[in-house]
Amino acid sequence: MTPTPAVGKDTMHQNPPPLTTTTVTVAYAGGDERRGPVTMGQANMIRCILRDDPTHINIHDVWPVPEGTTSAAVTDALCALTVRHEGLRTTFPHPPGATPVDQVVASEGTFTVTVLDHAELPGDPAEYAESVARAARAGRFALDREFPVRITLLTVTGQPAYVALAFSHAVADGSAMAILREEFAELLAGKELPGLTSLPPVDLAAVEASPAGLRKSEASLRYWERILRTGPQEMFAEPRGRRPGTDEEARQLTLRSRRGARALAGAARRTGHPEATVLMAAWCALVAHRAGQDSCVTAVPSANRFHARVARSVTTTSQDALLHLDVRVETFDALVARTWGAVLNAYRHSQFDSVRLWEMIDRVTAERGSHFGRDVVFNDVSALPAPLLGTDAQERDDAEQELTWGPPQALPTRLLAFTYRTAPQLHISLWAAPSVFTPEEAEGFLSGLVLLLEAAAAGDVPMKALAEVTGVRPAERGPDWLRVDGCWVSPDAVRETLGRAVGGLPVRVQVTEASGAEPYLTAYIACGETPLTPTEAHRALTALIPAAGSGVLAPHRYVLVENPPAEPDRSDAWRRLNTIDEGTGRSRQV
């Protein structure tokens, strides 16, 4: 659900303008004209395209052009890719104001290439090309009629140097761009591309709509619902928490570490598990440790290309796999063993009707009185044929370990990581929300990940020793925070938010701790002459929770009284008052 990060801000204005700008129209013909329903991945991204800022949802890439290549060879290769892949010939017709439900594949058509010719490229040509591609992300794609790729060819006195591209996320994701980049290079090298082995989008949609596909989608929704009803609603629930109602701007922090690559390989050999599993276990262990949680809930966006029918399909498969990993084990080796099955389970449940998913999320979180936060995202693209590295793709393999800060971007999550390579260096970029990670803590987190891998390569690591091994300290919450319904909760934050939700009426939140059971919350509201029901109080509170900051979960029960007691800070005084009404406020009892 998260597009490939935009790296940095537009810097084209800092560079000398091109000598000439020319628009070339390229005609293509080939393949069949087809029509069918959209895929689940397309529906998910179309929903985001119609709602989100285009600079956040559109995606981009830069393809270097080998020296000596002609402009005609570049356009011929682009034309061949368009004919080869139905996704690039796809539009989504729909009436004004409606959401597309069908896709149409053209058998012929045209696209344009904007040629920017220069006397010479600026000092950092790759960064300049990146800025051109990034600038093309601005502006919403017209899904019903626009060719879904904006193409700019950068030339030096007529000689092609780079192709800068911006893609509609409805037809491509990071994996698809990597496949196209690889095939573009092979075409320019004169190689013949092999036959297609993965399904085009129209055929993929048919598989998804089959009885087996629908059963798979239903199973995925049930899997997600179990996590949403029982797992932590926010991984980083702590006093400094998320900033209310806003995305944060986070700087990119990149780790390049030969140490990390050696340690990961060593830990994989010692445990007998794949490197990807070991890295995922280490990530989840450290996230849960830092967050002070018993489990790690992390979205894994690239997970849904594990099946051969979509592995090399040029389309968008952008649907999350949601990993819920219980970290309550004695040792890291035990966690690695548990991770293997948990990851496979998450992968199997990463195909779903996204509209129904969000309806379910809204329903479940309203019933639970929570707000599910997509706080943690881990995107391992190291296995792709040509990993999407952007301007950080320089082959700097000599660093034993280095951390470098890059430009900021809006972050709709709390912790986002892209693993680009695992050999010969471990290459990870991290975006950590400043409200929960200082720059030093972000650096310490990535350094701690390497330290954990090194310790795991040498031997089994006790989970209780993570702070000592990694140097990463758990979140500090204070004595008033407690775990309620699997979530860290601040009763004071609940009281303050509920008070605002009911228009400033006096509120008391009581914590009841039953022997052998989790605590539960009871909210007393003195409503005076104000008409109010538990259902209305609950609905008003849940409407505020998404922007209420951290640690807010709805009380299990609402008790309405007429006036506050003389001693409003005493729970027993509230309990002695006459009750006007009481209930859970939920649409289903909890």
Side-chain angles (χ1 to χ4, degrees), residues 362-386:
D362 289 344
R363 183 183 73 255
V364 169
T365 53
E367 290 170 357
R368 193 178 182 190
S370 60
H371 175 70
F372 173 67
R374 190 172 177 270
D375 277 1
V376 183
V377 181
F378 185 78
N379 209 349
D380 186 348
V381 296
S382 62
L384 296 181

Side-chain angles (χ1 to χ4, degrees), residues 186-318:
E186 291 179 348
L187 288 170
L188 293 186
K191 297 180 182 178
E192 184 175 344
L193 297 181
L196 297 174
T197 57
S198 293
L199 296 178
V202 172
D203 294 336
L204 179 58
V207 170
E208 293 174 344
S210 69
L214 293 175
R215 287 194 298 271
K216 184 179 181 68
S217 177
E218 290 295 328
S220 296
L221 293 175
R222 289 194 299 271
Y223 169 86
W224 276 69
E225 184 166 350
R226 283 196 302 272
I227 296 173
L228 265 61
R229 286 196 182 278
T230 60
Q233 291 297 282
E234 49 176 333
M235 283 301 297
F236 298 106
E238 53 188 271
R240 48 183 171 170
R242 70 178 120 211
R243 295 193 302 197
T246 62
D247 293 346
E248 296 186 57
E249 194 168 77
R251 292 179 65 195
Q252 179 181 4
L253 175 62
T254 297
L255 167 77
R256 291 185 179 84
S257 174
R258 281 185 169 271
R259 282 176 49 194
R262 288 195 302 269
L264 178 58
R269 282 193 303 271
R270 193 188 62 75
T271 61
H273 285 275
E275 289 187 4
T277 304
V278 174
L279 184 58
M280 181 67 76
W283 168 262
C284 289
L286 204 56
V287 168
H289 167 72
R290 165 62 181 78
Q293 300 279 13
D294 290 338
S295 63
C296 176
V297 177
T298 184
V300 191
S302 61
N304 41 16
R305 282 186 177 264
F306 71 101
H307 197 287
R309 66 170 171 250
V310 292
R312 292 188 62 85
S313 183
V314 173
T315 185
T316 184
T317 62
S318 291

Side-chain angles (χ1 to χ4, degrees), residues 118-449:
H118 306 73
E120 61 179 6
L121 294 179
D124 189 335
E127 185 175 340
Y128 169 65
E130 178 85 6
S131 73
V132 172
R134 189 168 55 249
R137 292 169 63 148
R140 209 176 302 277
F141 276 90
L143 293 169
D144 58 338
R145 62 185 183 276
E146 186 178 353
F147 187 75
V149 191
R150 297 168 183 160
I151 306 169
T152 305
L153 177 60
L154 306 182
T155 62
V156 180
T157 61
Q159 175 65 46
Y162 293 95
V163 182
L165 310 102
F167 289 80
S168 165
H169 216 329
V171 303
D173 54 18
S175 299
M177 290 194 297
I179 292 163
L180 291 169
R181 181 200 287 195
E182 178 189 50
E183 293 186 349
F184 176 74
E186 291 179 348
L187 288 170
L188 293 186
K191 297 180 182 178
E192 184 175 344
L193 297 181
L196 297 174
T197 57
S198 293
L199 296 178
V202 172
D203 294 336
L204 179 58
V207 170
E208 293 174 344
S210 69
L214 293 175
R215 287 194 298 271
K216 184 179 181 68
S217 177
E218 290 295 328
S220 296
L221 293 175
R222 289 194 299 271
Y223 169 86
W224 276 69
E225 184 166 350
R226 283 196 302 272
I227 296 173
L228 265 61
R229 286 196 182 278
T230 60
Q233 291 297 282
E234 49 176 333
M235 283 301 297
F236 298 106
E238 53 188 271
R240 48 183 171 170
R242 70 178 120 211
R243 295 193 302 197
T246 62
D247 293 346
E248 296 186 57
E249 194 168 77
R251 292 179 65 195
Q252 179 181 4
L253 175 62
T254 297
L255 167 77
R256 291 185 179 84
S257 174
R258 281 185 169 271
R259 282 176 49 194
R262 288 195 302 269
L264 178 58
R269 282 193 303 271
R270 193 188 62 75
T271 61
H273 285 275
E275 289 187 4
T277 304
V278 174
L279 184 58
M280 181 67 76
W283 168 262
C284 289
L286 204 56
V287 168
H289 167 72
R290 165 62 181 78
Q293 300 279 13
D294 290 338
S295 63
C296 176
V297 177
T298 184
V300 191
S302 61
N304 41 16
R305 282 186 177 264
F306 71 101
H307 197 287
R309 66 170 171 250
V310 292
R312 292 188 62 85
S313 183
V314 173
T315 185
T316 184
T317 62
S318 291
Q319 294 185 280
D320 284 343
L322 189 66
L323 175 63
H324 183 206
L325 183 62
D326 190 331
V327 300
R328 290 174 294 182
V329 291
E330 292 295 321
T331 69
F332 182 71
D333 284 10
L335 184 65
V336 173
R338 176 177 289 184
T339 301
W340 172 255
V343 167
L344 289 181
N345 205 23
Y347 286 9
R348 282 196 296 267
H349 296 103
S350 60
Q351 176 187 310
F352 44 78
D353 182 327
S354 59
V355 173
R356 289 190 59 202
L357 175 75
W358 283 105
E359 289 173 348
M360 181 270 288
I361 289 175
D362 289 344
R363 183 183 73 255
V364 169
T365 53
E367 290 170 357
R368 193 178 182 190
S370 60
H371 175 70
F372 173 67
R374 190 172 177 270
D375 277 1
V376 183
V377 181
F378 185 78
N379 209 349
D380 186 348
V381 296
S382 62
L384 296 181
L388 188 66
L389 300 181
T391 52
D392 281 339
Q394 298 95 339
E395 297 297 325
R396 300 208 302 271
D397 289 340
D398 56 337
E400 188 66 7
Q401 181 152 311
E402 67 176 15
L403 288 166
T404 55
W405 285 97
Q409 75 162 69
L411 189 70
T413 185
R414 303 303 113 195
L415 196 66
L416 167 66
F418 271 70
T419 300
Y420 295 119
R421 305 168 74 192
T422 56
Q425 287 181 327
L426 182 59
H427 179 180
I428 299 175
S429 284
L430 183 78
W431 290 261
S435 63
V436 289
F437 286 86
T438 66
E440 295 75 19
E441 287 172 329
E443 291 180 355
F445 187 88
L446 281 182
S447 298
L449 187 67

Side-chain angles (χ1 to χ4, degrees), residues 525-543:
I525 305 172
C527 46
E529 300 299 320
T530 303
L532 187 68
T533 67
T535 299
E536 291 167 343
H538 182 73
R539 188 180 300 127
L541 174 61
T542 55

Side-chain angles (χ1 to χ4, degrees), residues 497-510:
T497 307
L498 179 56
R500 286 193 289 118
V502 295
L505 296 175
V507 170
R508 172 74 178 180
V509 173
Q510 176 187 324

